[in-house]
């Protein structure tokens, strides 16, 4: 039996009026969007951190610093592709990804199939190995006031 490892990732971004909202590689129609150095895709950032953590490769900020202009405005799908290269260099493959997004609006359920397609392609895995769920914060805190969005992810990686 090969080595199996689990990783956990978390990300949060503030929401800004009239800013693009990219989530899971999908552009969402909404009055506000996640703001950050890259495209601020909290879902992909949490997934990247989970994968990097499982492979003991530190975190997304270590590899893609928000002070490095190479990553300014970059698609987080490209960051995920690079993370997959890094874990493959250590001999690991992805078993599965399970993620949760917490936001009041917009409703993302209709967009989950497209998100899974983008993530599967970037990570070179099957859509069947990706789970994306969403919940609200019941109008509590910064999420409830629509000031921010949060994502959590866990993953399993395996070495043959």
């Amino acid at each position: 039996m090969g080595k199996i490892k689990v990783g956990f990732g978390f990300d949060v971004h503030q929401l800004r009026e009239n800013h693009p909202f990219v989530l899971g590689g999908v552009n969402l129609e909404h009055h506000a969007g996640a703001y950050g150095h890259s495209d601020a895709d909290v879902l992909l950032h949490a997934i990247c951190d989970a994968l990097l953590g499982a492979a003991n490769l530190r975190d997304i900020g270590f590899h893609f610093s928000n002070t490095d202009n190479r990553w300014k405005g970059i698609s987080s799908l490209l960051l995920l592709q690079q993370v997959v290269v890094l874990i493959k260099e250590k001999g690991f493959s992805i078993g599965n990804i399970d993620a949760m997004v917490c936001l009041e609006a917009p409703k993302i359920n209709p967009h989950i199939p497209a998100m899974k397609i983008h993530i599967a392609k970037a990570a070179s895995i099957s859509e069947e190995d990706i789970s994306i769920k969403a919940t609200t914060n019941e109008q509590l805190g910064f999420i409830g006031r629509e000031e921010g969005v949060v994502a959590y992810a866990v993953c399993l990686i395996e070495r043959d």
Side-chain angles (χ1 to χ4, degrees):
M1 179 179 220
K3 181 83 167 178
I4 297 173
K5 298 180 86 176
V6 174
F8 172 75
F10 166 83
D11 196 38
V12 60
H13 280 279
Q14 63 179 291
L15 293 175
R16 289 204 179 163
E17 285 292 325
N18 302 312
H19 194 75
F21 199 166
V22 181
L23 194 62
V26 175
N27 290 305
L28 304 178
E29 291 292 325
H30 195 57
H31 65 87
Y35 179 78
H37 186 71
S38 65
D39 63 3
D41 189 326
V42 294
L43 176 57
L44 293 181
H45 293 181
I47 291 170
C48 286
D49 266 348
L51 292 167
L52 289 166
N56 196 22
L57 288 168
R58 301 194 55 177
D59 60 37
I60 193 170
F62 177 79
H63 294 278
F64 312 106
S65 172
N66 65 3
T67 61
D68 188 333
N69 283 332
R70 289 181 298 167
W71 315 123
K72 181 77 175 155
I74 194 167
S75 167
S76 295
L77 289 167
L78 297 175
L79 301 181
L80 177 56
Q81 288 174 345
Q82 185 57 41
V83 166
V84 171
V85 168
L86 292 171
I87 68 168
K88 285 185 177 182
E89 286 174 353
K90 285 193 79 172
F92 289 103
S93 61
I94 300 170
N96 76 302
I97 295 168
D98 185 15
M100 171 71 76
V101 180
C102 188
L103 74 169
E104 294 299 318
K107 298 295 183 192
I108 69 163
N109 195 47
H111 305 284
I112 289 174
M115 292 176 189
K116 290 174 67 170
I117 289 168
H118 289 299
I119 294 166
K121 183 176 179 186
S124 300
I125 61 175
S126 167
E127 293 169 46
E128 287 295 312
D129 294 326
I130 302 165
S131 173
I132 301 170
K133 302 169 302 293
T135 190
T136 69
N137 217 42
E138 298 295 332
Q139 300 179 337
L140 296 172
F142 72 91
I143 295 168
R145 293 186 301 272
E146 295 189 45
E147 296 171 359
V149 56
V150 168
Y152 305 90
V154 292
C155 71
L156 181 138
I157 62 173
E158 316 173 74
R159 183 184 291 151
D160 293 327

